[in-house]
Amino acid sequence: MDINRLFADAVAHQNEGRWAEAAALYRKIDKARPGLGPVNWNLGIVLKAQEQWDDALRAFEKADKAGGDFRGLLFNIGLCWQKLGRMEAAAKAFEKAVAAEPDDHVGLFNLAAAYRELDQLEKAVAAVDRSLALNPDFVEAQLLQSKLRTRMLPIWHVPMVNDAPRNDAYEAAIKAQVRPGDLVLEIGTGSGLLAMMAARAGATVVTCEAVPWIAETARAVIAANGLSDRVTVVNTLSTALQVGDVLPRRADILLSEIVASDFLSERIIPAVADARARLLRPDARILPERGGVRCALAGGDILERHLFTGPTNGFDLTPFNRLYPRTVRYDARTVQPVALSSAIDPFSFDFTAGPVPLCEQVRFSLTANAIGHCVALAQWVWLDFGKGILFENSPFVDSPASGWQPGFFLPPAPFPVSPGKVVDIDGYHDSYNVWLSFRP
Ligand SMILES: C[S@@+](CC[C@H](N)C(=O)[O-])C[C@H]1O[C@@H](n2cnc3c(N)ncnc32)[C@H](O)[C@@H]1O
């Protein structure tokens, strides 16, 4: 058998895109002279072109074993593992490929994609950042980087730290309650904003952050503001923090803003209860001291158009409403709700008193004080920091964009109200979910 001749014929088929014929000849040579690097490399390439990932992988691995210097070989091995859905093997191969060819922006991109599949987000973002540093115009990498960042940081963080009324309420409370020399424990560092406010008021601050890359970035923010000697960021859930480790003693003040739009779903109740039991002095000040869920009947044309459909272009779409969720959140400025009753607080939590109830069910009534079309029960949050410092994000008051969006709990259908009409509501929370419903 003339191996050289067969190889030349196989290459000719390959160059003309006759993959099956080329593969047959490469296989014939490999049978006669097993393990030749160039033969298996080329065989891998034509099998890859036919998306025969299993066989292509075997051929590339033989080429690798033969020790030939084929640019992209390790990358192709990774690609085969990736196509076969074996992400751990793919990541290992791409790691080797990138170590061998560190300027390969495509290799780095594929490594990032494999890490993403493995939920190794920090490694993924580091790899995609390197890929983009090599080739800033690489659009697939730009897209992947954006998707990764979306998973790494809830987007409410930015409007939240730009929410001046929220920030001002916290700063006023910190100025009123923090004394120089205090040890402040913060739960939930985020950008480090509140921890830096407490440090500026003269405290030593230990702050914990559950998400590793947020903790690391907060350290950088705090260092950039020259406060690293006053604020220690620990990457941990508050419930895993111990006194005697980074927290030298029980703290004088607990500071937290782990308040969700529904007040509860960031799990403030168990986190504060745990801190009070283990991490605070018995007489520690707690910021906020109290807070809760507030609600009122809401109407308004724009709000209604976001919550219910009906007659449209000469058709009746009312049956479509049955698919719409029973509660949604919108920026108040988008939906412009109109208050149809005064507000009521179905759930209030006092963090300075005895244990906060973990589950509550209440029944209450709201009395309409205006003529209108009720389309929702609007829900928002309030905070009381003591010393007369109060905050609420009422959707009926024009205020800047906030990380907290009001909730709208829907009745089965919009209904008319006029002053004096009583509307009965059921409320429930389990210290994580809040549920409000119109009683039939
Ligand atoms: C709403 S943000 C507030 C951030 C910052 N304190 C501020 O007010 O600007 C809450 C942060 O706390 C973190 N977090 C929530 N519960 C936590 C807990 N129990 N222990 C540690 N971190 C927590 C979240 O990951 C998030 O970054």
Side-chain angles (χ1 to χ4, degrees), residues 156-157 160-161 166 186-190 194 208-211 214 236-238 257-258 266:
W156 45 253
H157 270 273
M160 174 187 72
V161 292
R166 179 199 85 116
E186 187 197 19
I187 301 180
T189 317
L194 302 187
C208 58
E209 170 55 59
V211 181
I214 298 183
T236 181
L237 260 175
S238 57
E257 199 279 66
I258 45 174
E266 252 190 288

Side-chain angles (χ1 to χ4, degrees), residues 303-320:
L303 179 62
E304 182 162 359
R305 283 206 292 280
H306 282 78
L307 306 182
F308 290 95
T309 186
T312 300
N313 292 60
F315 301 105
D316 180 12
L317 301 187
T318 306
F320 199 66

Side-chain angles (χ1 to χ4, degrees), residues 125-157:
V125 99
V128 83
D129 285 354
R130 275 173 64 200
S131 172
L132 279 168
L134 289 165
N135 180 1
D137 300 331
F138 187 7
V139 284
E140 285 96 333
Q142 291 169 0
L143 188 62
L144 178 59
Q145 187 192 52
S146 179
K147 284 188 174 170
L148 287 167
R149 289 193 185 181
T150 302
R151 277 184 61 188
M152 291 172 85
L153 189 79
I155 56 166
W156 45 253
H157 270 273

